[in-house]
């Protein structure tokens, strides 16, 4: 996330929100853009699986606590929980592992650019899952342009100077998983959304259970480097509390608070406006990577990023209404 924006999910409108949606929208861009920096710092001590599990559990605890304080409750329908088992995989478990796994090989700036594939993946997922929707030629062209941009970033024709193809590929899969997850929400859960914290809390609760199982299975094969499932690597270097604070920020802000804001923005203004946050996330991630980590992008990567972002804008533009008469 790093976002689930660009989803195509139209959620049930609720009563007027106390905090304007514009404030939540801007906060999402900053929080999710900064998440790539936090993951990079967290990797100094922890593995991608530990980072993903920590952020999901902290995010779930944050949202469930708020749900309890506001008198809400988790869904009771098995229909909802059954679909959340799938949604949690695509909106949390898979991307939260793959983004830091990719950042072991590529910069946080490039990982943020990989997240911009989400709107394009959403269109492709909609074609597969909601075939009744017609795909305008403009969007087909935008998808092609987006993949050309990906190719420019990856530079497979170069033997030197290109980003790690495996690492960048992992960030693309992570970004694409959001498109699949939100399309699943749109198809199966849009009418089950009762507003408030119910769906975000349930989603992160399921993801927390999934990642706990993954963490324990992963630790069974890595005990020689990690003394406990939650402990830093024995060969971790660098002092300070940066990695721990980064996971706290990823969990409480980048997962708990951000998922609340994301659902509220989609409810307030719909997917077309809410998805625009996808275009701001790479700008924030690139800026923070440059300012705090000294990361740089080459000219091919800048050109490719421009094509991917341009394609993302094109695929999320609303269709023109037919002229009367």
């Amino acid at each position: 996330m790093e976002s689930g924006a660009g989803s195509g999910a139209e959620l049930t409108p609720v009563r007027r929100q106390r905090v304007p949606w514009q404030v939540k929208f801007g906060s999402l861009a900053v929080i999710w853009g900064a998440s790539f920096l936090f993951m990079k710092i967290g990797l100094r001590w922890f593995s991608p699986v530990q980072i993903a599990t920590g952020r999901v559990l902290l995010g779930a605890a944050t949202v469930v606590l708020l749900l309890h304080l506001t008198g809400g409750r988790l869904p009771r329908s098995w229909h909802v929980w059954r679909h959340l088992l799938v949604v949690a995989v695509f909106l949390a478990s898979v991307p939260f592992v793959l983004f830091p796994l990719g950042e072991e090989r590529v910069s946080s700036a490039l990982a943020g650019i990989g997240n911009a594939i989400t709107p394009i993946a959403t269109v492709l997922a909609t074609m597969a899952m909601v075939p009744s929707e017609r795909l305008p030629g403009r969007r087909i062209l935008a998808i092609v342009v987006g993949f050309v941009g990906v190719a420019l970033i990856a530079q497979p024709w170069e033997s030197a100077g290109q980003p790690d193809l495996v690492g960048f590929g992992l960030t693309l899969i992570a970004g694409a998983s959001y498109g699949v997850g939100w399309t699943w929400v749109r198809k199966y859960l849009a009418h089950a959304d009762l507003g408030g914290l119910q769906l975000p809390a349930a989603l992160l609760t399921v993801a927390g259970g999934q990642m706990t199982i993954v963490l324990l299975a992963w630790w069974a094969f890595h005990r020689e480097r990690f003394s406990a499932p939650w402990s830093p690597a024995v060969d971790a270097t660098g002092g300070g509390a940066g990695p721990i604070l980064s996971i706290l920020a990823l969990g409480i802000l980048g997962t708990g608070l951000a998922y609340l804001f994301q659902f509220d923005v989609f409810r307030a203004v719909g997917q077309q406006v809410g998805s625009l946050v996808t275009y701001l996330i790479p700008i924030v991630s690139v800026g923070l990577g440059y300012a705090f980590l000294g990361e740089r992008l080459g000219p091919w990567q800048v050109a490719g990023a421009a094509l991917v972002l341009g394609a993302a804008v094109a695929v999320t533009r609303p269709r023109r209404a037919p002229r009367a008469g």
Side-chain angles (χ1 to χ4, degrees):
M1 235 326 261
E2 187 45 350
S3 86
S7 63
E10 301 294 347
L11 300 181
T12 305
V14 293
R15 68 180 186 276
R16 188 173 181 180
Q17 301 169 13
R18 294 181 180 179
V19 180
W21 70 266
Q22 294 91 338
V23 174
K24 297 178 181 180
F25 180 92
S27 300
L28 281 175
V30 175
I31 290 171
W32 275 330
S35 293
F36 297 95
L37 173 65
F38 294 146
M39 283 185 275
K40 200 71 170 180
I41 296 174
L43 286 170
R44 297 173 182 173
W45 283 11
F46 301 102
S47 75
V49 173
Q50 289 175 307
I51 292 173
T53 306
R55 72 176 295 183
V56 168
L57 292 178
L58 286 167
T62 301
V63 182
V64 170
L65 176 61
L66 291 174
L67 180 68
H68 175 72
L69 293 176
T70 55
R73 58 179 175 81
L74 293 171
R76 296 182 180 179
S77 169
W78 167 242
H79 168 80
V80 173
W81 287 102
R82 181 182 61 184
H83 286 295
L84 284 175
L85 289 172
V86 178
V87 172
V89 170
F90 290 106
L91 291 187
S93 298
V94 166
F96 290 175
V97 172
L98 292 188
F99 272 125
L101 195 62
E103 285 198 47
E104 288 186 322
R105 296 169 170 266
V106 299
S107 66
S108 65
L110 200 58
I113 294 172
N115 187 86
I117 201 71
T118 298
I120 299 173
T122 300
V123 172
L124 295 176
T126 301
M127 291 173 59
M129 297 172 62
V130 192
S132 59
E133 288 200 8
R134 297 180 59 186
L135 188 65
R138 167 178 58 83
R139 291 191 175 183
I140 296 176
L141 178 60
I143 291 172
V144 173
V145 171
F147 283 111
V148 171
V150 170
L152 288 180
I153 295 172
Q155 299 171 250
W157 58 85
E158 291 284 349
S159 59
Q162 66 178 30
D164 184 280
L165 296 183
V166 173
F168 184 54
L170 290 172
T171 68
L172 291 176
I173 296 172
S177 70
Y178 289 127
V180 177
W182 279 107
T183 304
W184 197 286
V185 170
R186 175 189 180 187
K187 184 173 182 179
Y188 297 109
L189 291 176
H191 298 296
D193 181 32
L194 303 179
L197 310 178
Q198 188 182 73
L199 272 187
L203 166 64
L204 292 174
T205 297
V206 173
Q210 292 174 347
M211 285 310 306
T212 299
I213 295 172
V214 172
L215 175 67
L216 294 176
W218 165 85
W219 181 65
F221 295 95
H222 295 83
R223 295 185 180 184
E224 72 285 349
R225 188 164 178 240
F226 298 87
S227 58
W230 55 85
S231 67
V234 295
D235 56 349
T237 58
I244 294 176
L245 293 176
S246 292
I247 292 181
L248 289 172
L250 281 170
I252 298 172
L253 298 178
T255 307
L257 189 63
Y259 267 66
L260 301 184
F261 285 179
Q262 182 180 37
F263 272 86
D264 283 347
V265 169
F266 282 162
R267 289 166 182 148
V269 294
Q271 178 266 338
Q272 295 294 348
V273 176
S275 66
L276 296 178
V277 72
T278 304
Y279 319 138
L280 302 179
I281 292 171
I283 298 174
V284 175
S285 71
V286 170
L288 293 178
Y290 177 86
F292 292 97
L293 301 176
E295 297 174 344
R296 304 290 189 274
L297 296 177
W300 285 108
Q301 295 166 357
V302 172
L307 287 180
V308 170
L309 290 174
V313 172
V315 298
T316 53
R317 285 179 56 192
R319 300 180 184 180
R320 294 181 180 179
R323 295 182 180 179

